[in-house]
Amino acid sequence: MKIQHIFFDLDNTLWDHRKNAYLTINDLFKKQEITLHYEIDFEEFHSVYHDINESLWEKIRDGIIDKEYLRKHRFYDTFRHFGVDDEELSQYFEEHFLDKILNHNELVEGAEYILEYLKSRHYTLHIISNGFQEVTERKCILSGIDKYFKTITSADSIGVRKPNPKIFDYSLGLAEAKKEESIMIGDDWIADVVGSQNYGLDVIFFDVYKENKQEEGLKAITHLLQIKEYL
């Protein structure tokens, strides 16, 4: 059957989470004068934070920890790395990070153009995100891309995260879409590619960070505009 429904991941596929997080943490870092008080370089801090955050999100994806654990530890563990054991400071960063990140709504290059293009081709567009429900829709609204999507599914909607097949089943059910007329587009190899494949859903791997993962027959792109080669 011809593809009718396109399911997008959100963070780092359309909404540039890495860039927006960098800008937000830098704002908080300056406001709290961290370099002055603790002699910590921001670029080093951000690099450590990024690695810790990525590791924690992988554990959430795999069901090892929950979001409360991540929220308690990602900044706390980062500050601990630099010898600063301050739960209050870490919690300040966490609480303000989730709020202030929505002040930055940079999209991945080509996102709005490709959404407009796909909409003009009469595809029905959807979101499947592993992000928190309370921010997923706000990211779409504040960045101006909510108008393109018929449905927006976050992991909290069903209580499981990609690559769990239940979230794909839930989202396709919500969209009233059949597997054979649907395709997933995302940047996470495990959550998006392996998850879709195990569910029996066609997928385009957005290799935005050029991991160069190869698999025979896999549709892969390094820029969103390359979606036009497949759809």
Side-chain angles (χ1 to χ4, degrees):
M1 293 180 70
K2 182 182 176 183
I3 295 296
Q4 297 181 36
H5 295 269
I6 303 173
F7 293 82
F8 278 95
D9 172 55
L10 182 61
D11 287 345
N12 299 319
T13 298
L14 297 172
W15 198 84
D16 197 338
H17 181 83
R18 288 196 183 186
K19 184 173 184 179
N20 294 324
Y22 177 93
L23 294 170
T24 304
I25 296 169
N26 195 17
D27 290 343
L28 296 173
F29 203 84
K30 289 176 180 176
K31 186 172 183 178
Q32 292 297 305
E33 299 182 322
I34 300 300
T35 300
L36 176 64
H37 294 306
Y38 302 105
E39 297 182 353
I40 303 173
D41 176 73
F42 173 71
E43 295 298 336
E44 289 183 29
F45 181 89
H46 180 264
S47 178
V48 171
Y49 164 82
H50 174 74
D51 291 343
I52 288 172
N53 189 54
E54 289 289 300
S55 176
L56 290 171
W57 270 106
E58 288 174 5
K59 290 176 181 176
I60 279 187
R61 181 196 67 203
D62 297 338
I64 299 170
I65 63 172
D66 57 20
K67 66 180 182 181
E68 284 73 25
Y69 185 95
L70 176 139
R71 287 176 166 177
K72 182 177 179 180
H73 282 272
R74 57 180 168 185
F75 286 106
Y76 181 67
D77 291 356
T78 302
F79 276 111
R80 280 282 301 272
H81 175 87
F82 292 97
V84 179
D85 190 343
D86 188 332
E87 289 189 21
E88 187 176 344
L89 178 64
S90 303
Q91 199 56 35
Y92 170 88
F93 266 73
E94 178 61 32
E95 291 173 0
H96 286 78
F97 173 76
L98 288 174
D99 184 44
K100 301 298 184 184
I101 193 170
L102 296 174
N103 291 338
H104 300 284
N105 282 287
E106 298 285 337
L107 296 173
V108 174
E109 185 177 3
E112 192 146 21
Y113 175 90
I114 200 65
L115 291 173
E116 194 66 46
Y117 167 80
L118 294 171
K119 200 75 172 178
S120 73
R121 297 286 300 265
H122 306 294
Y123 291 105
T124 305
L125 310 182
H126 312 271
I127 290 285
I128 308 179
S129 172
N130 269 0
F132 300 143
Q133 184 174 1
E134 60 266 32
V135 294
T136 297
E137 289 191 7
R138 289 177 68 196
K139 286 177 178 178
C140 292
I141 292 167
L142 293 173
S143 64
I145 61 174
D146 61 302
K147 61 188 177 185
Y148 295 106
F149 302 107
K150 180 182 178 182
T151 67
I152 297 175
T153 300
S154 71
D156 292 349
S157 303
I158 187 172
V160 297
R161 287 176 161 75
K162 298 174 291 183
N164 192 310
K166 290 181 180 178
I167 191 169
F168 294 100
D169 203 43
Y170 173 87
S171 190
L172 264 70
L174 190 66
E176 300 180 320
K178 298 176 181 178
K179 288 184 190 180
E180 58 268 26
E181 61 185 22
S182 304
I183 193 166
M184 177 78 199
I185 301 172
D187 70 295
D188 188 295
W189 181 260
I190 300 297
D192 298 316
V193 178
V194 175
S196 295
Q197 291 174 334
N198 288 344
Y199 180 65
L201 183 65
D202 198 5
V203 61
I204 297 174
F205 175 43
F206 181 25
D207 192 8
V208 62
Y209 300 110
K210 298 180 174 58
E211 299 173 57
N212 295 315
K213 292 182 183 290
Q214 300 294 326
E215 187 177 280
E216 188 176 353
L218 176 69
K219 301 177 180 70
I221 59 173
T222 56
H223 193 286
L224 288 175
L225 298 193
Q226 293 173 318
I227 290 172
K228 295 169 73 173
E229 298 174 13
Y230 297 108
L231 295 167

